[in-house]
């Protein structure tokens, strides 16, 4: 590899905004960037993070997804890591002068490597040998790519796509993955990283304007004749056209080939402006001109012949739309602001634009729209569908529309190039009856559902989707067992041929919103809840910014906010004796998140949910497939017992931690291995269960474990279990199997037992080891979980699994002293006692070899 000194030598950093060349230590992942570069000639710069720098190649024709295509790649000087998000203009006269776009970026791994550390070593070896094979995880570049040095050449390489599921012959999108801009837009933007159209107050385009289209040869437009090169000429105005419709889908996704827009809660309408006359037309061809006359008048400022596609809405002062206000606008025009959001243009001054790509059409649209508080351009983001849906959900919106960015406009057709994705909510519901099946449906048609309010069962609608044959059969059998002739709803629904049932079964239902009449909109059956009593099912009313009113401790006095989680029932009592609430649990994890997350990041979670607090055992939930908001990360893993695929929740940020707490997860139970090295745990667990043994015997046993570990020069990390026992954790390098970690734990446990046979036991049956400390080495197994450091426990006193200093195991030691009330103050005084945990990882095989000698 070349040195950064060559990079620095070629640049005058007083004149160019490029970052100075400094080597940086590699992080937890390996990055790459591909930049499109308009310099003396157009080319692509392919850059891979190797040993703290971006090793770089110039690829004249750019990457291809076709395995049969080989591209020349010329190795150039290494670039600094800070270059990875450089996008802008390098001044003329400077080295590489021209425009730079971040065409794609992401992470990569060396082929054959299971871990990042292995990948770092392997990629250096591959580079030295001139044969680089990597797996790309970018927005555009995905799967296998190869770089091979040409025989006898030093700087000349060949770049090619490997044969895999991502191989195809499609052309890549040519917009920036950071800002969505073209090279030209980046070049013309002299002020910021975000391009703005040539509206009032925006900069006019510079350079040669001879090809700019004009409006009656007077007002300049900020798009050129080239933008209309693929548009068709049309002699007549297309009054007969109707809007393109979207296809419903049930899940948001991230894809750089798609854009994502707000799904407006209003009336879809086309604006037809022809010969100075404006016509506002519904999706079914009906005129809205009379009903929304003020909106029609707003479009008179446009003098071109155009056809626009958009949505009519009425918004309140906070920008939230209200469909009911829109319907009643003629009678009550003062209730909100009437607006038209424009998201497409179909026709412009004799040109049929429907064959142009979506981004071309939106570029033209943005350029011609007037400055207005009534006529608004519908903005979008590229690639980040989950983020878009989350933003809409936070604002209380209906959903998003996903559109393929290179798609044409399909007049009067429903297309899969446009997808509608709705925001959904979930709620427990009591089943009060069911209807007869219709058509091809077996067993039953719909469930009649409701919730309790002041002891009365309130009907909230029917749910008839979300079932498969197995769930239909099982649920129907349960329903027949509780059939009755009595309707238990407070007001009997006026539905014929209903089979009434006793209100005993509780269903989990997802839906989009509550209607004004108290019914669920678009309900979908998820599952039966066996842990919930029907009488406890109330209508949940989310609170976004929860402030605990009961001040039991320092935590509950804190006002906490969550941008993504709708906190529900924060005042629900979880510990009846102490009076601690669900809100106290959420506030605790809000305060302690930075400490908890270190020990659960990238680890599958087995959710132990206690939605009713500690009064019952709650239930464990592993498979979260289709049950989480789209922003919550999950990972499918195959169960070793039955071979079924389970979507485990992965908690890598505070919002997800608060989401878990809001589900009633008092306790946090991660695996002892991480995604990326899932078969290789990175700590060993010693679970010391007293089983009615004395506290002194428990302390004696823990100190004996420490004594043995000290002789092996191994640091054991101590914590309370949060119950009655103690945990000792040993960090290990994630290079070995669960079998080996269990073998090590067994050997140490057997040594402890031989030293303390009167107070310890290896017997698995509890009744055979009463009064002795159980040395449970079997906790070291794939998929087995243990409460993490700083996790609360659903036990009396709201105790916590608290990291300890060994010196704290003295005559004053009391596990109950470490709880929801004391831990935040303790962490402020002592800091994280496990802060160096992963830095002390041992080489397990070397230790085992030493033990067996």
């Amino acid at each position: 590899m070349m040195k950064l000194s060559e990079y620095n030598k070629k640049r005058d950093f007083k004149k160019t905004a490029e970052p100075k060349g400094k080597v940086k230590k590699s992080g937890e992942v390996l990055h790459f960037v591909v930049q499109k570069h308009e310099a003396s000639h157009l080319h692509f710069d392919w850059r891979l993070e190797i040993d703290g720098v971006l090793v770089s190649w110039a690829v004249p024709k750019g990457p291809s997804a076709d395995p049969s295509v080989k591209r020349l790649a010329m190795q150039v000087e290494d670039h600094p890591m800070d270059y990875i998000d450089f996008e802008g203009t390098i001044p003329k006269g400077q080295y590489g002068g021209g425009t730079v776009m971040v065409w794609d970026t992401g992470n990569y791994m060396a082929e054959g490597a299971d871990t990042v550390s292995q990948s770092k070593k392997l990629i250096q070896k591959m580079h030295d040998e001139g044969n680089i094979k990597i797996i790309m995880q970018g927005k555009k570049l995905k799967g296998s790519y190869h770089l091979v040095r040409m025989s006898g050449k030093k700087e000349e390489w060949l770049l090619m796509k490997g044969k895999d599921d991502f191989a195809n012959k499609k052309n890549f999108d040519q917009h920036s993955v950071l800002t969505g801009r073209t090279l030209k837009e980046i070049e013309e933007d002299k002020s910021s990283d975000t391009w703005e159209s040539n509206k009032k107050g925006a900069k006019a385009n510079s350079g040669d304007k001879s090809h700019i289209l004009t409006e009656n040869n007077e007002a300049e437009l900020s798009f050129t004749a080239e933008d209309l090169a693929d548009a068709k000429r049309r002699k007549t105005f297309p009054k007969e056209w109707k809007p393109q419709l979207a296809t419903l889908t049930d899940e948001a996704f991230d894809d750089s080939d798609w854009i994502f827009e707000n799904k407006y809660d209003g009336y879809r309408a086309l604006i037809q402006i022809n010969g100075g006359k404006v016509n506002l037309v519904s999706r079914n061809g009906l005129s809205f001109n009379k009903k929304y006359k003020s909106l029609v008048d707003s479009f008179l400022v446009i003098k071109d012949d155009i056809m626009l596609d958009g949505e009519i809405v009425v918004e309140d002062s906070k920008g939230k739309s209200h469909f009911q206000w829109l319907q009643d606008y003629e009678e009550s025009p003062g209730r909100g602001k009437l607006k038209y959001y424009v998201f497409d243009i179909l026709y412009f001054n004799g040109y049929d634009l429907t064959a142009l790509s979506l981004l071309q059409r939106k570029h033209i649209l943005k350029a011609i729209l007037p400055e207005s508080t009534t006529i608004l351009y519908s903005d979008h983001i590229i690639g980040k569908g989950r983020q878009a849906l989350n933003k809409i959900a936070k604002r209380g919106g209906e959903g998003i529309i996903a559109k393929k960015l290179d798609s044409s406009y399909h007049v009067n057709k429903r297309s899969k190039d446009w997808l509608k994705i709705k925001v959904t909510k979930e709620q427990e519901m009591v089943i009060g009856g069911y209807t007869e099946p219709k058509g091809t449906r077996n067993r039953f048609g719909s469930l009649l559902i409701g919730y309790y309010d002041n002891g009365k069962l309130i009907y909230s609608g029917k749910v008839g989707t979300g079932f498969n044959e197995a769930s239909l059969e099982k649920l129907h059998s349960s329903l027949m067992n509780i059939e009755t002739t009595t309707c238990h709803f407070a007001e009997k629904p006026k539905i014929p041929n209903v089979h009434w049932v006793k209100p005993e079964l509780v269903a989990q239902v997802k839906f989009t919103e509550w209607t004004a009449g108290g019914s669920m909109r678009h309900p979908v059956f998820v599952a039966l809840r066996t842990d919930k009593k029907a009488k406890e099912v109330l209508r949940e009313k989310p609170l976004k910014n929860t402030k605990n009113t009961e001040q039991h401790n320092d935590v509950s006095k804190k006002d906490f906010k969550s941008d993504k989680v709708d906190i529900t029932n924060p005042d629900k009592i979880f510990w009846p004796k102490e009076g601690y609430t669900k809100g106290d649990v959420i506030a605790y994890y809000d305060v302690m998140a930075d400490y908890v997350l270190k020990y659960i990041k990238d680890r599958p979670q087995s959710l132990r949910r206690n939605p009713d607090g500690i009064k019952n055992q709650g239930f464990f939930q592993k498979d979260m497939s289709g049950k989480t908001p789209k922003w919550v990360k999950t990972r499918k893993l195959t169960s070793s017992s039955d071979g079924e695929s389970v979507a485990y929740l992965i908690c890598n940020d505070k919002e997800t931690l608060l989401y878990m707490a809001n589900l009633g997860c008092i306790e946090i139970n991660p695996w002892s291995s991480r995604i990326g090295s899932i078969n290789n745990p990175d700590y060993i667990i010693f679970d010391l269960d007293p089983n009615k043994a004395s506290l002194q015997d428990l302390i004696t046993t823990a100190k004996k474990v420490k004594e043995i570990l000290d002789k092996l020069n191994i640091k054991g990390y101590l914590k309370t279990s949060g119950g009655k026992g103690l945990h000792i954790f040993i960090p290990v390098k994630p290079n070995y199997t669960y079998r080996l970690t269990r073998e090590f734990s067994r050997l140490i446990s057997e040594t402890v037992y031989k030293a303390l046979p009167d107070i310890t036991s290896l017997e698995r049956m509890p009744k055979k080891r009463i009064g002795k400390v159980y040395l449970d080495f079997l906790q070291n197994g794939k998929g087995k979980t243990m409460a993490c450091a700083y996790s609360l426990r659903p036990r009396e006193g709201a105790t916590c699994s608290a990291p300890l200093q060994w010196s704290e195991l003295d005559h004053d030691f009391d596990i109950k002293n470490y709880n929801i009330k004391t831990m935040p103050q303790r962490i402020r005084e002592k800091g994280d006692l496990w802060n160096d945990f992963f830095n002390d990882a041992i080489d397990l095989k070397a230790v085992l070899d030493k033990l067996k000698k």
Side-chain angles (χ1 to χ4, degrees):
M1 291 179 283
M2 304 180 185
K3 297 183 181 295
L4 288 180
S5 56
E6 184 174 346
Y7 168 90
N8 288 329
K9 185 171 64 176
K10 292 181 175 182
R11 289 161 174 81
D12 183 348
F13 294 105
K14 294 180 181 179
K15 297 180 180 180
T16 178
E18 295 170 282
K20 292 184 178 180
K22 295 179 182 179
V23 177
K24 285 194 173 183
K25 186 178 180 180
S26 294
E28 296 181 356
V29 295
L30 290 173
H31 302 84
F32 80 88
V33 65
V34 176
Q35 285 156 317
K36 191 173 182 180
H37 191 175
E38 181 81 81
S40 57
H41 61 280
L42 179 65
H43 66 280
F44 292 75
D45 293 312
W46 179 286
R47 312 189 196 279
L48 303 178
E49 176 186 354
I50 303 178
D51 199 21
V53 299
L54 291 173
V55 181
S56 301
W57 291 262
V59 184
K61 294 186 177 181
S64 170
D66 184 348
S68 67
V69 175
K70 295 180 175 61
R71 301 293 202 208
L72 175 66
M74 299 294 295
Q75 188 165 6
V76 297
E77 75 275 11
D78 296 342
H79 281 51
M81 287 301 302
D82 288 342
Y83 214 92
I84 204 159
D85 58 358
F86 176 74
E87 182 172 284
T89 302
I90 303 171
K92 291 182 179 180
Q94 292 297 299
Y95 180 77
T99 308
V100 178
M101 169 204 291
V102 178
W103 184 84
D104 195 21
T105 190
N107 305 328
Y108 80 90
M109 290 278 283
E111 281 192 12
D114 295 323
T115 65
V116 174
S117 59
Q118 291 177 4
S119 189
K120 289 177 181 178
K121 294 177 183 177
L122 191 54
I123 196 65
Q124 290 179 352
K125 183 174 182 289
M126 287 178 171
H127 180 267
D128 293 341
E129 294 176 352
N131 188 4
I132 296 175
K133 295 183 178 181
I134 57 177
I135 304 298
M136 313 285 283
Q137 296 176 344
K139 303 289 186 183
K140 301 175 185 178
L141 301 174
K142 300 180 186 295
S144 173
Y145 276 85
H146 301 166
L147 267 167
V148 181
R149 187 187 292 123
M150 296 175 67
S151 178
K153 307 292 184 180
K154 182 180 179 181
E155 298 174 348
E156 297 178 21
W157 298 60
L158 289 177
L159 171 66
M160 63 201 82
K161 177 76 181 78
K163 294 180 180 179
D164 57 22
D165 292 341
F166 298 101
N168 58 63
K169 296 184 180 181
K170 295 181 180 178
N171 294 325
F172 290 111
D173 169 50
Q174 297 302 319
H175 292 76
S176 165
V177 296
L178 292 187
T179 63
R181 299 181 293 179
T182 63
L183 271 174
K184 183 177 181 182
E185 290 167 351
I186 296 170
E187 178 187 3
E188 292 175 346
D189 186 357
K190 307 298 182 184
S191 58
S192 70
D193 288 334
T194 305
W195 175 82
E196 295 181 349
S197 64
N198 187 25
K199 295 181 181 180
K200 181 180 178 182
K203 282 190 176 183
N205 295 328
S206 59
D208 180 11
K209 300 179 180 178
S210 59
H211 295 296
I212 294 180
L213 293 177
T214 60
E215 178 184 300
N216 299 324
N217 296 320
E218 294 176 359
E220 292 182 334
L221 301 176
S222 62
F223 62 94
T224 70
E226 293 179 359
D227 290 311
L228 298 178
D230 295 325
K232 297 178 182 178
R233 273 287 190 178
R234 182 182 171 98
K235 294 182 180 180
T236 59
F237 189 90
K239 290 184 178 180
E240 73 281 4
W241 285 0
K242 292 183 180 180
Q244 174 175 341
L245 302 179
T247 300
L248 179 65
T249 187
D250 60 357
E251 188 174 1
F253 57 92
D254 293 339
D255 192 321
S256 59
D257 291 335
W258 292 72
I259 69 167
F260 300 90
E261 300 173 336
N262 183 19
K263 184 180 186 296
Y264 298 99
D265 190 14
Y267 283 140
R268 181 78 175 279
L270 295 179
I271 281 285
Q272 300 174 349
I273 304 177
N274 184 27
K277 294 182 179 180
V278 178
N279 196 19
L280 185 58
V281 185
S282 77
R283 56 181 286 182
N284 296 318
L286 302 176
S287 176
F288 280 138
N289 284 20
K290 181 180 178 182
K291 189 175 181 70
Y292 304 116
K293 184 179 184 303
S294 62
L295 188 61
V296 172
D297 292 342
S298 299
F299 281 94
L300 291 173
V301 298
I302 299 178
K303 304 304 179 183
D304 297 283
D305 286 353
I306 61 174
M307 182 179 287
L308 306 177
D309 190 1
E311 191 105 359
I312 309 169
V313 301
V314 173
E315 293 181 344
D316 61 24
S317 60
K318 296 181 180 180
K320 181 176 174 57
S321 61
H322 297 268
F323 187 72
Q324 193 69 46
W325 293 8
L326 180 65
Q327 288 182 312
D328 301 337
Y329 188 76
E330 282 183 289
E331 292 76 23
S332 304
R335 291 181 73 181
K337 174 69 174 177
L338 185 66
K339 297 180 180 180
Y340 183 82
Y341 282 94
V342 196
F343 44 72
D344 218 323
I345 180 169
L346 286 61
Y347 177 88
F348 177 79
N349 286 348
Y351 283 94
D352 174 354
L353 308 184
T354 58
L356 302 182
S357 72
L358 173 62
L359 282 188
Q360 282 179 289
R361 300 196 306 273
K362 293 204 72 172
H363 172 66
I364 295 170
L365 172 64
K366 194 170 185 179
I368 69 166
L369 285 182
E371 277 289 312
S372 173
T373 59
T374 302
I375 304 167
L376 302 167
Y377 173 77
S378 177
D379 217 332
H380 64 267
I381 64 173
I382 296 178
K384 300 177 181 179
R386 293 184 177 92
Q387 181 187 101
L389 188 66
N390 175 56
K391 287 182 178 179
I392 294 300
K394 285 192 294 183
R395 297 205 301 262
E398 185 180 356
I400 58 174
I401 300 291
K403 299 179 179 179
K404 209 165 188 179
L405 55 80
D406 62 354
S407 64
S408 56
Y409 190 98
H410 304 284
V411 173
N412 199 25
K413 291 182 180 178
R414 189 177 299 277
S415 166
K416 291 183 179 179
D417 287 343
W418 288 14
L419 304 173
K420 52 185 175 183
I421 307 163
K422 296 181 178 180
V423 174
T424 60
K425 301 176 177 66
E426 285 199 10
Q427 162 80 53
E428 296 147 1
M429 280 284 143
V430 179
I431 301 174
Y434 64 95
T435 64
E436 286 288 335
K438 294 180 180 180
T440 59
R441 171 68 68 84
N442 294 319
R443 313 298 178 181
F444 62 86
S446 298
L447 301 176
L448 277 64
I449 55 176
Y451 59 90
Y452 278 95
D453 186 10
N454 293 324
K456 296 181 179 179
L457 185 59
I458 308 301
Y459 176 68
S460 62
K462 297 187 296 181
V463 55
T465 60
F467 309 101
N468 54 34
E469 280 299 317
S471 61
L472 278 169
E473 183 176 357
K474 185 177 180 180
L475 186 52
H476 185 244
S477 177
S478 299
L479 292 169
M480 288 193 297
N481 289 334
I482 56 173
E483 271 203 40
T484 178
T485 57
T486 304
C487 171
H488 287 269
F489 291 111
E491 292 185 16
K492 187 176 181 180
K494 296 179 180 179
I495 301 173
N497 303 320
V498 174
H499 295 260
W500 305 112
V501 298
K502 297 176 183 177
E504 298 176 357
L505 297 179
V506 177
Q508 191 79 13
V509 178
K510 64 181 181 180
F511 60 104
T512 56
E513 63 181 2
W514 288 99
T515 67
S519 297
M520 287 180 164
R521 192 176 181 187
H522 308 128
V524 178
F525 176 83
V526 177
L528 279 182
R529 290 286 300 270
T530 56
D531 61 292
K532 192 83 173 182
K533 294 180 179 179
K535 287 286 186 181
E536 298 172 346
V537 174
L538 310 175
R539 176 173 168 178
E540 293 183 347
K541 297 179 180 179
L543 303 174
K544 292 186 180 297
N545 299 321
T546 303
K547 181 176 181 179
N548 289 322
T549 54
E550 295 186 76
Q551 299 181 354
H552 301 294
N553 51 58
D554 291 340
V555 171
S556 61
K557 293 177 185 177
K558 178 184 183 296
D559 292 344
F560 61 91
K561 296 181 180 180
S562 173
D563 292 332
K564 297 180 178 179
V565 184
D566 288 336
I567 305 302
T568 57
N569 302 321
D571 297 324
K572 190 172 187 177
I573 300 296
F574 269 21
W575 283 268
K577 182 178 179 181
E578 295 82 8
Y580 298 144
T581 65
K582 178 181 176 180
D584 291 326
V585 174
I586 297 170
Y588 172 88
Y589 283 118
D590 183 60
V591 169
M592 299 292 291
D594 289 343
Y595 302 98
V596 174
L597 287 169
K598 287 195 292 186
Y599 307 106
I600 66 175
K601 185 178 180 182
D602 291 331
R603 300 178 189 275
Q605 299 288 326
S606 292
L607 304 188
R608 180 179 178 181
R609 296 178 59 180
N610 291 82
D612 298 316
I614 69 167
K615 66 182 181 182
N616 55 46
Q617 292 296 313
F619 62 99
F620 274 91
Q621 184 174 2
K622 295 181 180 180
D623 192 358
M624 299 298 289
S625 178
K627 300 178 177 65
T628 65
K630 305 308 179 184
W631 55 266
V632 172
K633 183 176 181 181
T634 59
R635 181 64 177 266
K636 285 195 174 182
L637 299 172
T638 301
S639 169
S640 57
S641 59
D642 56 17
E644 292 186 355
S645 183
V646 174
Y648 284 89
L649 183 144
I650 308 295
C651 180
N652 288 352
D653 53 50
K654 180 192 283 192
E655 299 289 353
T656 305
L657 185 61
L658 298 185
Y659 167 74
M660 292 170 64
N662 192 55
L663 289 178
C665 294
I666 297 172
E667 185 178 284
I668 308 299
N669 292 284
W671 284 30
S672 52
S673 58
R674 301 175 189 259
I675 299 298
S677 54
I678 200 64
N679 295 314
N680 308 113
D682 57 5
Y683 55 74
I684 297 171
I685 302 167
F686 291 91
D687 182 13
L688 309 183
D689 180 4
N691 194 25
K692 298 185 180 181
S694 68
L695 178 61
Q696 186 55 52
D697 285 349
L698 177 65
I699 292 174
T700 299
T701 303
K703 289 183 175 180
K704 177 56 70 173
V705 175
K706 182 180 186 298
E707 177 187 321
I708 296 169
L709 295 178
D710 286 346
K711 290 179 181 179
L712 294 170
N713 199 29
I714 295 172
K715 183 175 180 179
Y717 282 79
L718 176 69
K719 69 182 178 75
T720 66
S721 69
K724 297 179 180 180
L726 292 171
H727 294 161
I728 301 168
F729 278 39
I730 298 172
V732 298
K733 295 179 180 178
N735 300 330
Y736 305 107
T737 63
Y738 275 95
R739 183 186 63 79
L740 278 178
T741 61
R742 189 165 56 248
E743 174 69 6
F744 178 81
S745 182
R746 181 186 66 81
L747 289 172
I748 300 299
S749 297
E750 287 177 350
T751 305
V752 173
Y753 174 66
K754 289 177 182 178
L756 303 171
D758 295 329
I759 65 171
T760 64
S761 175
L762 296 172
E763 174 59 56
R764 294 184 64 184
M765 296 294 293
K767 64 182 181 180
K768 295 183 179 181
R769 51 178 165 82
I770 295 175
K772 292 187 176 183
V773 178
Y774 177 44
L775 306 168
D776 188 1
F777 60 85
L778 295 175
Q779 291 293 347
N780 297 280
K782 184 178 179 181
K784 289 184 175 293
T785 59
M786 185 71 68
C788 70
Y790 303 109
S791 169
L792 295 174
R793 299 295 304 278
R795 293 174 176 265
E796 184 176 332
T799 50
C800 170
S801 189
L804 300 172
Q805 296 169 321
W806 282 97
S807 60
E808 292 180 279
L809 290 183
D810 57 20
H811 63 278
D812 292 326
F813 176 72
D814 188 347
I815 287 176
K816 293 181 180 178
N817 290 338
Y818 308 94
N819 54 55
I820 192 173
K821 181 177 180 180
T822 62
M823 281 308 298
Q825 179 62 32
R826 176 179 168 86
I827 206 78
R828 286 193 290 270
E829 294 173 356
K830 293 182 176 291
D832 184 5
L833 298 179
W834 282 25
N835 190 55
D836 295 324
F837 183 84
F838 294 107
N839 295 330
D840 291 332
I842 64 171
D843 188 327
L844 181 58
K845 193 171 186 303
V847 174
L848 280 170
D849 291 342
K850 184 177 179 180
L851 275 174
K852 292 178 179 179
K853 287 183 180 178

